[in-house]
Amino acid sequence: GSHAPDRQVFMSAAVDMIKQSETDIEILEIGAYAVSSMLTWSNAADKLLDRHCYITCIDPWVDFGAELFTEQMAETLKSNLGYEVFCRNATLSPNNVHIYPVSEISRDILPKLHANKYDIIFIDGSHHYMDMLKTLLRARACCFQVKLYAEMI
């Protein structure tokens, strides 16, 4: 894909760094929206891994916080179009990549997820400093001993 080529390099490098793992790879993406980054993870896993990759994508996909975005993004969230685009694009993943959408707010779902499960956590939800900090702390304090963080601020 051509979306954010600099991001693709770092995301692919993160997958490459953990490819020696003896188990399937688990990625948690917080803030999936319309899936451009999920497709980047998916393509990297397909090219670099010889086993399965499971990507859990968390996003409210509703008008929660829509007022923080542009008018066009807010309308997309209110109409459910963002989630429909996500579901359609998720079907483009290769056979060894499994996508699990979770329609929740990260602060509500993070404490419910399994500890020590994820190899990579990619935080790309709210881009407001305090929201990002709280999400990062919840991810670390509530449930994960993560091998690698890939963060977007």
Side-chain angles (χ1 to χ4, degrees):
S2 60
H3 175 74
D6 53 335
R7 184 189 293 191
Q8 291 178 25
V9 169
F10 292 108
M11 293 167 74
S12 296
V15 171
D16 190 58
M17 289 173 65
I18 60 172
K19 71 181 179 184
Q20 301 305 319
S21 172
E22 296 178 9
T23 61
D24 292 336
I25 301 301
E26 296 271 357
I27 298 173
L28 176 63
E29 180 172 345
I30 301 170
Y33 189 57
V35 311
S36 59
S37 53
M38 184 278 299
L39 290 174
T40 300
W41 290 122
S42 181
N43 290 333
D46 184 45
K47 290 181 174 102
L48 299 170
L49 301 175
D50 60 358
R51 64 189 148 299
H52 291 269
C53 178
Y54 299 88
I55 305 173
T56 302
C57 299
I58 298 172
D59 199 288
W61 285 296
V62 294
D63 64 352
F64 175 83
E67 70 280 357
L68 300 173
F69 301 104
T70 65
E71 186 175 323
Q72 183 178 12
M73 282 184 73
E75 287 304 315
T76 300
L77 290 168
K78 291 176 184 176
S79 71
N80 203 39
L81 182 59
Y83 184 67
E84 291 172 16
V85 169
F86 176 90
C87 291
R88 170 66 180 106
N89 285 341
T91 66
L92 302 174
S93 293
N95 291 335
N96 68 322
V97 179
H98 312 279
I99 310 300
Y100 299 100
V102 177
S103 185
E104 291 268 356
I105 298 166
S106 63
R107 73 169 173 251
D108 296 337
I109 193 65
L110 283 173
K112 299 174 187 175
L113 298 178
H114 296 282
N116 301 319
K117 180 176 181 178
Y118 297 97
D119 299 293
I120 297 172
I121 297 175
F122 181 68
I123 303 173
D124 191 18
S126 172
H127 294 270
H128 297 274
Y129 177 78
M130 288 308 296
D131 290 342
M132 185 67 124
L133 181 61
K134 288 176 184 176
T135 299
L136 178 60
L137 293 174
R138 280 186 190 102
R140 290 177 65 190
C142 292
C143 49
F144 304 115
Q145 287 185 354
V146 178
K147 298 172 189 161
L148 177 65
Y149 276 101
E151 300 171 25
M152 289 294 300
I153 296 183

